[in-house]
Amino acid sequence: MLWSGWGDPAGAVELPEAVRSLLRDLLGVRAPSTPAVGLEEVRPAEVVLAPSVLDELRAVVGAGHVRSDDESRIRHTRGKSTPDLIRLRAGDASRAPDAVVLPGSHDEVLRVLRVCSGHRVAVVPFGGGTSVVGGLSADGHGFAGVVALDVGRLDRLVSLDTESMVAELGPGLRGAEAERLLGEHGLTLGHFPQSFEYATLGGFAAARSSGQASAGYGGFGDMVVGMTVATPRGTLDLGRAPRSAAGPDLRQVILGSEGAFGVITSLRLRVRRSPAERHYEGWRFASFSEGAAALRRLAQDGPLPTVLRLSDETETMIGLARPEEIGEPVAGAGCLVVAGYEGGPLEVAETRERAAAVLSELGGTCLGTEPGQAWARGRYAAPYLRDALLAEGATVETLETAGFWAVLPRLYEAVRAALTASLGAPLVMCHISHVYATGASLYFTVVTAQEEDPVAQWERAKRVVSEVIVAEGGTISHHHGVGRDHREAYAVEIGELGGEILRGIKERLDPEGVLNPGALIPSS
Ligand SMILES: Cc1cc2nc3c(=O)[nH]c(=O)nc-3n(C[C@H](O)[C@H](O)[C@H](O)COP(=O)(O)OP(=O)(O)OC[C@H]3O[C@@H](n4cnc5c(N)ncnc54)[C@H](O)[C@@H]3O)c2cc1C
């Protein structure tokens, strides 16, 4: 993974000239005054963690699995939000952990937590490092140091129960690797977020992730039938049946807890048979509202495709849903729907035919398979474009929310208005990519010219938008999580009593408060 950007450096893309001129002429983007620094130029702060504590950690996990060299520390600094990348590109490695610790078993995780609690060392669980909500940037203030607890060595397919269709997998497995391992058995999880190549199963659970095929396979939380969690107070083993009426479901306390309550060391996940057929196609609707009405009908009355997404007019025109063709404006293209069907040939044909009848009835025009296939080919490509845009002097960032169908149109307009008011004349694009009978998520991509201090510029806009989202009845996150960036808005969503409950759980599981301090839990 590129340390200050996304993905395999070999996958870096050049911006097409059409996009560069759009940035220059439409948004006033100018080349940044200082180019990005190289990894060798970045100097993290001195390690403050006492050598004796490092020795204790080495005694638990082995000397080779405690790293305090600059490169390891920098590679575990922050996540992959645009402000994270802008800071790293400028050589700012503040918030670098003092050390990276890589335990090899649940028992070692427990012992690492014991050492860190005993010395009041902050612990940031680290999966793929793709958090976009400040989930990984612990402030060591008031602690004896900060360690990143990287679960990368817990990366096995531990067991497979094909009778129950349950797989036990290590939290350090990246999405793509988990799919490869399951694929050898003709199985799939069906979890394909855009960060799929790098994000881990533990991170998906800890941030309540949702993938691009959530209409068919559900969000990641729906796949978790059980989990093992290491906490400073001991082990939690949760989930022993497909459903239980035995009191509140404690798995839900850990899902979305972002390392603040414990470290997920094992996941038992529902798996499905790999689909024999995948059919993706495009549809055109005249407007976002007409397209949204069609998605709502499918979500409420069926049949529901496996993938279902709708780009608004701007996103369709820019071509973001088909990154291979980005920048080739399609004037008057209306709004693109991508509908994907996965399963056996008969099931795919039958569902597709029934869904197509609904989409046609509600005003859609079928564009055939090409736009759907173009989306599928480019579905992991957009993050590479972000690096190229940053280098050009543009800020590009995403944000997302969800709401009931009845509030979505207002929420959509309010977010767009807030972004425009805060950023001048940004390019704002949106799509609906996760649908439910009662509502859907809205996913915005914003492009704007960078000011002198682009981080402050974005943080200002983000604050305003977060307030608007909560005020308009949306949730602060459908699938990115809370981290540090959404903590205040989350506090408003759950109210004072909700915050007290979370603090109570935190005190019980993590009495020294060492786990990911500053993330998730509203301050009192
Ligand atoms: C380009 C890009 C595209 C993205 N697309 C999507 C998308 O389509 N859908 C989506 O849902 N998200 C998306 N995300 C967000 C991100 O990938 C998800 O939040 C993902 O779940 C994070 O996984 P990770 O392994 O990288 O976790 P990390 O970033 O390493 O950690 C995330 C949080 O979980 C905690 N954590 C990590 N592992 C554990 C563990 N084992 N136990 C306890 N806590 C842990 C961390 O402390 C942190 O608070 C995207 C991000 C990027 C940069």
Side-chain angles (χ1 to χ4, degrees):
M1 170 78 103
L2 191 60
W3 69 281
S4 63
W6 183 253
D8 179 355
V13 291
E14 284 271 313
L15 286 182
E17 186 44 41
V19 175
R20 301 171 90 147
S21 60
L22 189 102
L23 293 174
R24 270 192 316 267
D25 304 341
L26 187 74
L27 299 176
V29 171
R30 297 286 168 266
S33 44
T34 45
V37 303
L39 178 61
E40 63 295 343
E41 297 169 73
V42 184
R43 295 274 166 274
E46 284 292 299
V47 170
V48 299
L49 200 56
S52 57
V53 178
L54 285 170
D55 283 343
E56 279 187 54
L57 292 169
R58 286 186 191 106
V60 174
V61 299
H65 302 306
V66 176
R67 300 182 188 151
S68 51
D69 59 285
D70 282 1
E71 178 165 347
S72 300
R73 294 175 62 205
I74 293 165
R75 286 187 179 279
H76 290 79
T77 301
R78 302 183 182 275
K80 295 290 179 190
S81 71
T82 294
D84 290 340
L85 299 190
I86 292 174
R87 285 188 170 104
L88 285 170
R89 290 169 67 89
D92 172 0
S94 55
R95 305 273 168 118
D98 293 288
V100 179
V101 180
L102 294 111
S105 66
H106 172 79
D107 189 50
E108 286 186 6
V109 175
L110 280 176
R111 287 161 63 204
V112 166
L113 293 181
R114 231 170 278 143
V115 170
C116 291
S117 283
H119 295 285
R120 258 190 79 71
V121 174
V123 182
V124 182
F126 194 99
T130 68
S131 169
V132 283
V133 291
L136 298 164
S137 45
D139 177 1
H141 192 74
F143 291 90
V146 178
V147 301
L149 191 158
D150 187 326
V151 295
R153 289 174 66 212
L154 307 180
D155 63 348
R156 286 190 316 119
L157 168 56
V158 180
S159 65
L160 192 54
D161 169 358
T162 48
E163 198 173 345
S164 315
M165 293 294 271
V166 171
E168 181 174 359
L169 295 140
L173 273 170
R174 298 183 191 280
E177 184 59 7
E179 278 297 322
R180 193 189 64 73
L181 291 173
L182 291 171
E184 287 174 1
H185 300 271
L187 301 171
T188 181
L189 262 182
H191 188 67
F192 305 105
Q194 200 180 48
S195 52
F196 167 75
E197 294 160 294
Y198 293 94
T200 62
L201 303 184
F204 294 148
R208 263 187 203 277
S209 168
S210 205
Q212 294 167 343
S214 67
Y217 295 101
F220 194 77
D222 303 320
M223 299 167 194
V224 177
V225 299
M227 54 168 75
T228 307
V229 186
T231 82
R233 294 284 313 283
T235 298
L236 275 172
D237 228 325
L238 303 170
R240 54 170 57 213
R243 183 183 187 279
S244 167
D249 185 348
L250 290 181
R251 288 172 309 178
Q252 298 298 331
V253 172
I254 300 300
L255 289 171
S257 64
E258 302 186 41
F261 294 153
V263 181
I264 298 162
T265 56
S266 172
L267 284 158
R268 289 169 299 282
L269 302 173
R270 176 201 74 198
V271 292
R272 300 262 175 89
R273 281 180 231 300
S274 302
E277 199 164 306
R278 291 188 168 90
H279 176 97
Y280 301 120
E281 63 187 21
W283 287 75
R284 178 190 293 136
F285 281 82
S287 67
F288 195 48
S289 54
E290 282 178 43
L295 265 54
R296 175 160 64 88
R297 172 80 80 81
L298 289 175
Q300 291 176 340
D301 298 344
L304 203 51
T306 316
V307 173
L308 188 60
R309 39 195 301 131
L310 162 70
S311 295
D312 73 356
E313 288 83 351
T314 315
E315 186 169 293
T316 303
M317 188 185 73
I318 297 291
L320 194 63
R322 299 162 291 122
E324 290 165 328
E325 296 160 37
I326 194 155
E328 290 171 24
V330 209
C335 293
L336 177 71
V337 166
V338 172
Y341 305 88
E342 299 186 1
L346 278 180
E347 182 192 354
V348 164
E350 197 248 353
T351 312
R352 195 244 149 222
E353 194 180 311
R354 286 173 51 221
V358 175
L359 292 168
S360 297
E361 183 198 326
L362 295 182
T365 307
C366 187
L367 305 174
T369 54
E370 205 289 317
Q373 283 165 356
W375 169 80
R377 281 194 303 273
R379 64 197 288 187
Y380 305 121
Y384 290 91
L385 273 175
R386 173 171 62 166
D387 290 343
L389 286 163
L390 286 174
E392 202 68 20
T395 288
V396 55
E397 183 56 308
T398 61
L399 59 92
E400 41 85 41
T401 175
F404 296 116
W405 288 112
V407 307
L408 275 196
R410 208 175 60 219
L411 192 55
Y412 170 72
E413 293 301 342
V415 171
R416 281 168 55 84
L419 285 167
T420 304
S422 312
L423 293 168
L427 187 63
V428 181
M429 298 168 269
C430 181
H431 61 250
I432 291 176
S433 51
H434 306 274
V435 295
Y436 308 90
T438 52
S441 82
L442 294 174
Y443 187 96
F444 294 88
T445 303
V446 190
V447 187
T448 191
Q450 287 182 12
E451 286 177 0
E452 191 58 30
D453 182 347
V455 171
Q457 176 194 15
W458 175 252
E459 286 179 348
R460 219 169 37 236
K462 176 78 186 192
R463 222 174 0 258
V464 175
V465 175
S466 298
E467 284 167 13
V468 163
I469 284 174
V470 177
E472 293 294 340
T475 173
I476 194 59
S477 177
H478 171 267
H479 59 262
H480 283 166
V482 175
R484 287 167 186 75
D485 300 356
H486 292 159
R487 201 167 69 131
E488 279 175 35
Y490 176 52
V492 176
E493 265 191 48
I494 61 173
E496 182 47 40
L497 190 53
E500 259 179 55
I501 293 169
L502 291 183
R503 288 192 290 278
I505 296 171
K506 172 91 175 161
E507 276 161 30
R508 272 298 147 131
L509 295 177
D510 177 23
E512 298 302 324
V514 294
L515 278 166
N516 212 356
L520 183 76
I521 315 289
S523 51
S524 50

